[in-house]
Amino acid sequence: MKVSASARRLDADRIRALAEAFGAEPSRWPEADRAAALAWLEAHPGEGAVLLAEARALDGLLEAWRLPQPAEPLRQRVLGPAPVVVRLARRRSFLMTLGGGAGLAAACLAGVMAAPILLATPAPTPSPAPPAVAATPVGADELLTEALAGWEAPVGEGEADAAS
Amino acid sequence: MPRPGTETLGLAAGAGAARPAPASARLEDPDADLVRRVGRGDLVAVRALTARKLPRLTSLAARMLGDFAEAEDVAQESLIRAWRQAPVWRFGEARFDTWLHRVAVNLCRDRLRRRRPGGADDLDALVDPGPAPDRGLEARDVGDRVAAAMATLPPRQREAVVLCHYQDLGNIEAAVALGISVEALESLLSRGRRALRAALSDLVR
């Protein structure tokens, strides 16, 4: 079945299609169709009731399949890794936020530090001297990561305790 | 399909994705405040978000997989990804619940794909053991029949029915969660419900 929300005409066929797909409860129908569908049903109560009857019967059957709610032990098990996961996620987010700026800052700092050396250095000779090592953004990120290894994002431990 | 947990909420290319679902999911997100607090590391919010989502996720996965133990694993993995996502969540692009459903659906798809062919879903076991107080034992029997009928649906049709009927997602959210167009979703729903009606025809009065 292929329908186009923009092109379709809301009539009995469309009401039937909506009921077949989404069930008899208009609150489950697509928002784009709902107001017009409700108006149609109000204008055609008898025909509408017939159109929706079959879908309503199936809806009732589907409701009979109930599942038990998760037990408290599952909730506790799921929450077990939460403090560590949340802390690591915050740390990663913090590093991602700093990453671009730190790389730029490190590159600028490297340029400032290298300037006097470059000015005092005679013209390069063709000898195969080892290349100068400059602070790259990647290096800066590594240093930053190392420096922040012990940093822990403040988490609401106190609030959590208070709520438990 | 993206690796579960790396999902974006754009629509999948390919059949059924001719017209993207409208992005009305941008309007309001009832989970926004909790997600912000989780992103700031508030463990009270983590507990609240978990309490809000765990029943929905376990129900979704149980109905998809037919196995409670697996459903609990999927729910836990989905929530861990939610906590990781919270600090970098981009508000206003989609509802967090829609993204979370997409994560869970993809985790379920992965598990179904890994199953041996012919491995039967044991959806019969997935019925609340307590009889509904207002309907007695008959509801349990009907629930068993519905579970069995759902188990016979093709996975995509089952996903559509579970998301729209049992998870109460709107058509746009469900389409986004499944990575399909709203038209494709409506088609899956129609075929799925038609098959269910045929399987349960002796009960449809």
Side-chain angles (χ1 to χ4, degrees):
Chain A
M1 185 177 64
K2 181 84 174 174
V3 292
S4 165
S6 58
R8 65 182 162 235
R9 188 168 57 92
L10 206 147
D11 54 13
D13 287 343
R14 180 59 187 153
I15 295 290
R16 183 183 293 109
L18 288 170
E20 284 179 357
F22 298 97
E25 178 52 56
S27 65
R28 295 181 185 273
W29 294 358
E31 202 174 328
D33 288 310
R34 198 177 305 145
L38 286 171
W40 190 94
L41 288 172
E42 194 174 335
H44 306 81
E47 192 178 355
V50 172
L51 286 174
L52 300 184
E54 205 171 49
R56 182 166 287 115
L58 181 59
D59 288 346
L61 294 178
L62 295 181
E63 287 304 312
W65 187 20
R66 299 180 177 188
L67 300 181
Q69 291 294 299
E72 180 61 19
L74 172 62
R75 204 167 68 87
Q76 293 303 324
R77 177 165 70 84
V78 167
L79 281 169
V84 172
V85 172
V86 169
R87 187 182 306 133
L88 290 176
R90 273 181 54 77
R91 184 180 298 174
R92 186 189 59 166
S93 169
F94 180 70
L95 289 176
M96 285 173 62
T97 304
L98 283 184
L104 181 61
C108 292
L109 182 63
V112 170
M113 292 176 67
I117 301 171
L118 290 173
L119 290 173
T121 302
T125 63
S127 63
V133 177
T136 64
V138 172
D141 281 350
E142 288 169 353
L143 286 174
L144 188 61
T145 303
E146 189 178 337
L148 291 174
W151 179 80
E152 293 189 357
V155 293
E157 300 279 3
E159 293 174 287
D161 292 343
S164 59
Chain B
M1 185 174 65
R3 187 170 59 83
T6 62
E7 289 81 358
T8 60
L9 288 172
L11 290 178
R19 190 170 69 87
S24 75
R26 296 174 184 180
L27 299 178
E28 286 183 13
D29 188 344
D31 297 320
D33 179 57
L34 270 185
V35 174
R36 277 195 188 89
R37 289 168 56 201
V38 171
R40 292 196 296 261
D42 180 347
L43 289 182
V44 174
V46 171
R47 287 168 186 260
L49 187 66
T50 301
R52 185 182 292 182
K53 300 302 178 187
L54 184 60
R56 284 172 63 69
L57 291 170
T58 49
S59 294
L60 165 67
R63 287 191 164 104
M64 294 295 304
L65 298 171
D67 183 308
F68 264 124
E70 276 196 287
E72 291 176 358
D73 290 345
V74 165
Q76 179 167 35
E77 179 64 27
S78 302
L79 283 166
I80 286 175
R81 292 176 189 211
W83 304 334
R84 285 180 181 156
Q85 189 71 19
V88 292
W89 179 250
R90 296 166 69 173
F91 292 93
E93 293 192 0
R95 287 183 180 156
F96 196 76
D97 189 65
T98 306
W99 173 84
L100 195 53
H101 272 77
R102 181 150 185 166
V103 170
V105 164
N106 283 340
L107 288 169
C108 289
R109 287 175 177 175
D110 280 356
R111 285 172 179 263
L112 289 170
R113 204 177 296 123
R114 286 199 298 267
R115 283 183 181 170
R116 287 191 304 256
D121 291 346
D122 188 17
L123 289 182
D124 287 350
L126 291 179
V127 179
D128 187 345
D134 55 336
R135 284 182 286 181
L137 289 175
E138 185 188 353
R140 168 75 198 269
D141 298 337
V142 175
D144 287 348
R145 288 284 309 279
V146 172
M150 288 285 288
T152 65
L153 290 183
R156 294 295 183 269
Q157 292 178 23
R158 193 192 309 170
E159 288 173 358
V161 174
V162 168
L163 288 190
C164 288
H165 188 87
Y166 291 105
Q167 299 297 113
D168 282 327
L169 292 191
N171 68 319
I172 295 170
E173 285 79 19
V176 170
L178 296 178
I180 59 178
S181 68
V182 290
E183 290 87 356
L185 174 78
E186 189 168 327
S187 175
L188 286 172
L189 283 170
S190 294
R191 286 182 281 146
R193 285 179 59 101
R194 198 176 306 136
L196 289 171
R197 198 164 53 243
L200 302 169
S201 59
D202 58 309
L203 298 175
V204 177
R205 288 186 282 270

